[in-house]
Amino acid sequence: MYLNELWYFGALSQQLQPGKHLHLELLGQPILLGRGFDGQVFALRDICPHRGILLSSGKLVQNKDATEVECPYHGWRFGTGGKCVAIPSLTKEQQKTKDLSKISTKNFAVHEQQGLIWIYQGEKLPDQLPDRLDFVGDATPKVHTKTVFNCYVDHAVIGLMDPAHIAFIHRQWWWRTEKSMHEKAKKFGPVERGFSMLPHVPSSNSFLYKLLGARPETEIRFQLPGIRVEYVRIGKKYVVGFTAVTPVNDQQTQITIALYWDHPVMSLVPNTLLRKAVDTFVGQDRDAVNAQQKGLAYDPKLMLIHDADVQAKWYFALKKAWNTAQENNTPFQNPVRAKTLKWRS
Ligand code: FES
Ligand SMILES: [Fe+2]
């Protein structure tokens, strides 16, 4: 049901100090995400193979150069690769006959870059690293925020990309007003595992863009499994807004937003105010999606209409193409074709 053989956003680097770990749920599975004493991140299925307690309720311990996860229940220890390395209850004699390496909890491939920790989901080994954000180099986000939508991932993804809701759900003085609604035509094209609203000079009806000064150029990219990145270039400077839509389970989806910039105007705005603005914005989406659940509980037939819902159609087409490629072990064929979409917002 979830897309496989993909990197999913797991957590922000700054959430995880060396020697610390956290529990998260990803695609309905419990995961222990840890950072060893050497600084390396790792991810394990968060279940002790002995008696099933969450390993994350235990702690990380340092054993010479190695980092080990110690189960709080009977003290079994696991390496960061998931293999059992110690069972304290075994006598010296019993230890000789028991092959601990046969006991393990699943290990997930992880990769950390640009302040983001990615966790691979799939049966195979990843054949490439997660996509890097353009422009930001090795910078880490200056502002970030998380929220959970009480819905299945698809509603969160299409709720965030849909342009027609903006003038209604996000009607606020500093962003859009009812009067500012007008017809738009935007060029789109395929990108790897997704599509892009190609670089363009954004709507003049947004106060925030005006604040940035000289002709900003914006590109918005969406890529499976649920990564949306808004790139704003103002001369040589950038503002990058990263949004990860990560399925927690069938009823919950986590939205993480991280902002990167080197544009000086952004630094004039206090980070707390920026975070508040982002929280207001995402909070409006969350409230809409959560309210939508009350209607969806009756399993109504839904519709997607041209052109405002074409991106949602592309999302479903991309998912289908991805699953087909995985099932048949064939190369993924991007179903998106270059097109200008028109709508009022
Ligand atoms: S449940 Fe983990 S060691 Fe027993
Ligand atoms: Fe929205």
Side-chain angles (χ1 to χ4, degrees):
M1 169 163 50
Y2 298 113
L3 297 171
N4 268 312
E5 311 307 335
L6 286 167
W7 289 99
Y8 281 85
F9 169 78
L12 291 145
S13 299
Q14 48 193 292
Q15 284 176 264
L16 211 52
Q17 296 304 311
K20 298 287 178 212
H21 67 280
L22 47 90
H23 166 85
L24 51 97
E25 196 180 352
L26 186 62
L27 317 191
Q29 307 170 70
I31 289 181
L32 176 153
L33 185 62
R35 187 187 296 282
F37 294 92
D38 61 354
Q40 291 299 310
V41 287
F42 64 95
L44 303 176
R45 181 169 153 82
D46 193 7
I47 301 277
C48 180
H50 180 216
R51 297 263 294 282
I53 199 168
L54 295 187
L55 286 169
S56 59
S57 55
K59 60 181 182 206
L60 302 193
V61 285
Q62 196 162 9
N63 182 3
K64 298 189 191 93
D65 285 343
T67 299
E68 294 171 1
V69 181
E70 186 181 270
C71 180
Y73 208 165
H74 313 93
W76 292 21
R77 288 209 187 169
F78 300 85
T80 55
K83 286 206 163 54
C84 182
V85 291
I87 298 183
S89 65
L90 294 178
T91 64
K92 278 229 156 57
E93 209 46 46
Q94 291 163 343
Q95 276 176 34
K96 281 183 203 146
T97 54
K98 187 102 191 143
D99 182 4
L100 297 190
S101 71
K102 289 210 175 109
I103 304 171
S104 67
T105 187
K106 185 180 160 93
N107 164 277
F108 297 90
V110 289
H111 188 75
E112 182 172 30
Q113 62 190 17
Q114 301 172 315
L116 310 174
I117 301 172
W118 298 87
I119 304 175
Y120 192 75
Q121 296 292 302
E123 292 309 312
K124 302 177 202 152
L125 282 172
D127 54 10
Q128 60 182 60
L129 293 176
D131 303 305
R132 284 179 69 83
L133 300 172
D134 290 353
F135 311 147
V136 313
D138 288 321
T140 56
K142 293 196 166 104
V143 163
H144 63 86
T145 179
K146 298 190 296 182
T147 180
V148 171
F149 289 11
N150 294 323
C151 69
Y152 183 60
V153 59
D154 289 354
H155 295 295
V157 168
I158 67 176
L160 289 165
M161 62 173 47
D162 142 32
H165 78 289
I166 294 170
F168 293 87
I169 292 296
H170 303 298
R171 197 178 281 177
Q172 44 228 339
W173 66 269
W174 49 270
W175 188 251
R176 296 287 156 90
T177 60
E178 196 178 359
K179 284 197 202 98
S180 73
M181 266 185 94
H182 62 268
E183 284 187 20
K184 307 221 168 96
K186 308 272 187 192
K187 285 201 184 87
F188 286 79
V191 295
E192 199 181 353
R193 300 189 326 279
F195 55 86
S196 158
M197 182 192 284
L198 300 169
H200 64 285
V201 176
S203 334
S204 54
N205 62 357
S206 123
F207 172 68
L208 274 191
Y209 287 141
K210 276 184 198 152
L211 205 69
L212 290 170
R215 293 177 60 86
E217 194 180 59
T218 291
E219 180 186 357
I220 303 175
R221 243 175 262 164
F222 174 82
Q223 291 177 290
L224 293 179
I227 305 299
R228 180 188 188 275
V229 187
E230 186 155 351
Y231 291 100
V232 183
R233 283 292 258 181
I234 312 107
K236 285 200 171 72
K237 301 290 183 189
Y238 69 81
V239 181
V240 173
F242 166 87
T243 305
V245 185
T246 307
V248 175
N249 53 43
D250 286 357
Q251 287 103 40
Q252 291 185 310
T253 301
Q254 184 176 290
I255 315 298
T256 307
I257 296 184
L259 301 180
Y260 302 73
W261 69 81
D262 68 351
H263 193 286
V265 164
M266 289 289 285
S267 300
L268 294 178
V269 189
N271 284 1
T272 46
L273 198 70
L274 265 177
R275 193 173 305 116
K276 210 167 172 222
V278 175
D279 281 340
T280 302
F281 217 83
V282 189
Q284 290 163 339
D285 289 308
R286 183 196 52 223
D287 293 347
V289 161
N290 289 354
Q292 180 192 25
Q293 291 304 303
K294 295 192 180 137
L296 293 180
Y298 299 92
D299 201 18
K301 202 167 165 323
L302 306 177
M303 52 174 108
L304 293 172
I305 70 148
H306 283 288
D307 276 357
D309 290 339
V310 167
Q311 294 178 76
K313 289 185 179 184
W314 283 340
Y315 167 66
F316 289 118
L318 283 161
K319 279 183 71 173
K320 198 169 162 206
W322 187 263
N323 282 333
T324 305
Q326 300 311 321
E327 277 157 28
N328 304 336
N329 212 0
T330 50
F332 168 70
Q333 307 273 0
N334 191 326
V336 177
R337 298 287 166 264
K339 192 171 194 256
T340 297
L341 301 181
K342 296 181 182 165
W343 66 78
R344 285 187 78 242
S345 68

